[in-house]
Amino acid sequence: MEFESTTKTPSGVAGSYPFTFYLTIASSVMFFISLLVLSPVLPLYTLHVGSDEAGWGVAVTIQAWVAVVFRLLGGSIADRIGRRRVMLIGTLSILLGTVCFLLFQTYAWFLIGRFLQGVAIGLFTTAYKALIIDLGPADRRGEAIGFGNMAYGTASLVSPVVGEWLLNRHGYAATFLVALVFAFVAMVVVGFLPKTTHSATRRSVAGGAREVLSLRSTQVGIWGVMSVAAVFAAIYTFLPLLADVRSITGVGVAISIYAVFELLGQRIGGPLGARIGRRLVIAISLLMSAVGVLLFVTVDTMLVMFIGAALVGLFGAFHRVNLDTIVMEGAPADLRATAVGFEYAGLDTFVGIFNLSLGFVAVSSPYSVVYLLIAAIPAVTIPVMLALVPRRKTHGLQTE
């Protein structure tokens, strides 16, 4: 099903982006900086408060599965009360989660902080993606989604490096304070965002969920994010621990390299999928993501780590932007947040499963085993995507 854009473009010019579109992206950049400045810090902080790799896997799983619940709730709520209100609650949640890290240095409070981060991710990112497609021009949806997804990569450019530097130079408290400031700025910016203009859905929550789940486009998104979860595990969950075990520095730089190539992939992946076919782009991207993850199996220098980060950043972004486009083009306008909520609930479910199981593997096995298992995930996803993504455009899916 195709839907009409609700964007009111300046001076009636079709296909242009309003200022509020960019303001929305700015709010997301601030939100993700507050989250990602802690990405090289929290795995080590888990050990600092007396836990181990399995404890870190549990913490990641708690965050991911809490996000699952709040993505599903937040998508439906955002379709009814507006994107901005849900995003405000999300920024408040991430602020409170960071306060838990700052004030209470115990593993129990660490888990509470991760719980609140899960609430924040589930609410904010789901409403944000729907607002981006609401504000973006109808004739440039793939590009608009790519622009919106670039907020994460933009935040990743310097946040991990700054987080690593702050930790080494000033300790955990200074790092948490910086994250707290950016969470507060994000909340302020969200306060200036617009309300969407499409009519609120008249469907029941259950009816909307059934309609969204029945769409082929939603099913593509739910299964396709398996590979996205694998890439996240390779970069954010285990890379700091792998580098620490092998005495390799530069993890923050590697994450920033990943972010640079992720930004590039988001910028060109949507238009590339529209030109040569989303099905083909997704298949190639999954294959190359597996190759990138495999490089980490033999990582013994910074150079190999940097090349692996570049590959999974670029091709992971190609994969994700085309998944997002398929999901949101296939959903009615008043169920966009619900649709993306199910897609990213799938992501967080897989993140939880992978990190919980791989965390226990990492306790008793070399990290090469962990990365071999991670590389298998995008490889297995290829035939699933070839089966689900149709060759031709149908029911709002823009594929080949």
Side-chain angles (χ1 to χ4, degrees), residues 6-221:
T6 59
T7 304
K8 296 181 179 180
T9 55
S11 305
V13 178
S16 61
Y17 292 96
F19 171 74
T20 50
F21 178 87
Y22 299 106
L23 190 64
T24 302
I25 293 176
S27 73
S28 186
V29 171
M30 296 299 106
F31 176 87
F32 281 120
I33 288 176
S34 72
L35 183 69
L36 294 175
V37 75
L38 302 180
S39 59
V41 175
L42 293 183
L44 302 176
Y45 185 70
T46 310
L47 307 181
H48 176 74
V49 296
S51 190
D52 56 16
E53 291 91 344
W56 171 236
V58 169
V60 173
T61 301
I62 287 174
Q63 182 200 59
W65 287 353
V66 169
V68 168
V69 174
F70 282 89
R71 284 192 195 280
L72 297 176
L73 293 174
S76 179
I77 294 169
D79 282 331
R80 284 162 171 75
I81 70 171
R83 324 303 194 198
R84 183 177 60 184
R85 292 177 181 175
V86 174
M87 291 169 70
L88 277 171
I89 299 171
T91 55
L92 177 61
S93 298
I94 202 167
L95 190 150
L96 293 176
T98 308
V99 168
C100 290
F101 302 147
L102 178 64
L103 297 183
F104 309 104
Q105 296 188 21
T106 67
Y107 184 64
W109 276 101
F110 175 66
L111 294 182
I112 293 172
R114 293 293 285 180
F115 177 93
L116 290 168
Q117 282 188 330
V119 173
I121 291 169
L123 294 179
F124 183 92
T125 60
T126 303
Y128 166 74
K129 284 180 176 290
L131 184 56
I132 282 293
I133 199 68
D134 289 341
L135 296 174
D139 57 341
R140 298 166 69 182
R141 287 174 187 148
E143 182 184 69
I145 293 169
F147 274 130
N149 287 348
M150 286 173 70
Y152 186 88
T154 300
S156 298
L157 283 175
V158 295
S159 300
V161 176
V162 171
E164 189 175 36
W165 179 84
L166 283 169
L167 176 62
N168 293 333
R169 189 72 178 269
H170 300 288
Y172 290 108
T175 312
F176 295 146
L177 279 172
V178 169
L180 199 63
V181 168
F182 279 100
F184 178 76
V185 173
M187 187 165 58
V188 172
V189 175
V190 169
F192 291 97
L193 297 183
K195 296 181 179 179
T196 47
T197 57
H198 65 71
S199 300
T201 180
R202 296 180 179 177
R203 301 169 179 83
S204 66
V205 173
R210 283 195 299 270
E211 180 172 346
V212 162
L213 283 172
S214 69
L215 296 173
R216 182 83 167 270
S217 54
T218 306
Q219 295 163 17
V220 168

Side-chain angles (χ1 to χ4, degrees), residues 237-249:
T237 305
F238 294 105
L239 190 57
L241 300 171
L242 169 68
D244 184 58
V245 167
R246 297 186 178 179
S247 300
I248 300 171
T249 59

Side-chain angles (χ1 to χ4, degrees), residues 258-396:
Y258 165 82
V260 169
F261 281 88
E262 208 263 350
L263 276 173
L264 178 62
Q266 293 290 351
R267 178 66 184 88
I268 65 178
L272 182 64
R275 180 178 295 272
I276 70 172
R278 306 204 188 281
R279 188 171 186 263
L280 177 61
V281 171
I282 285 173
I284 294 173
S285 299
L286 289 169
L287 176 62
M288 294 307 298
S289 293
V291 171
V293 173
L294 283 173
L295 285 180
F296 292 119
V297 174
T298 59
V299 63
D300 56 1
T301 65
M302 283 193 295
L303 179 60
V304 176
M305 181 169 64
F306 293 165
I307 294 172
L311 284 176
V312 297
L314 180 66
F315 289 100
F318 279 7
H319 176 61
R320 187 157 66 97
V321 70
N322 282 283
L323 282 182
D324 289 350
T325 304
I326 288 171
V327 169
M328 284 194 276
E329 283 192 332
D334 60 343
L335 289 176
R336 285 174 184 151
T338 302
V340 78
F342 274 105
E343 178 192 4
Y344 279 81
L347 170 63
D348 290 320
T349 299
F350 289 124
V351 166
I353 292 171
F354 297 158
N355 283 283
L356 182 62
S357 55
L358 292 171
F360 283 101
V361 171
V363 172
S364 57
S365 303
Y367 279 101
S368 57
V369 174
V370 174
Y371 276 88
L372 282 171
L373 292 172
I374 293 173
I377 295 165
V380 169
T381 308
I382 294 174
V384 177
M385 291 294 95
L386 290 176
L388 284 177
V389 180
R391 293 180 179 274
R392 301 186 183 279
K393 180 178 175 181
T394 176
H395 300 300

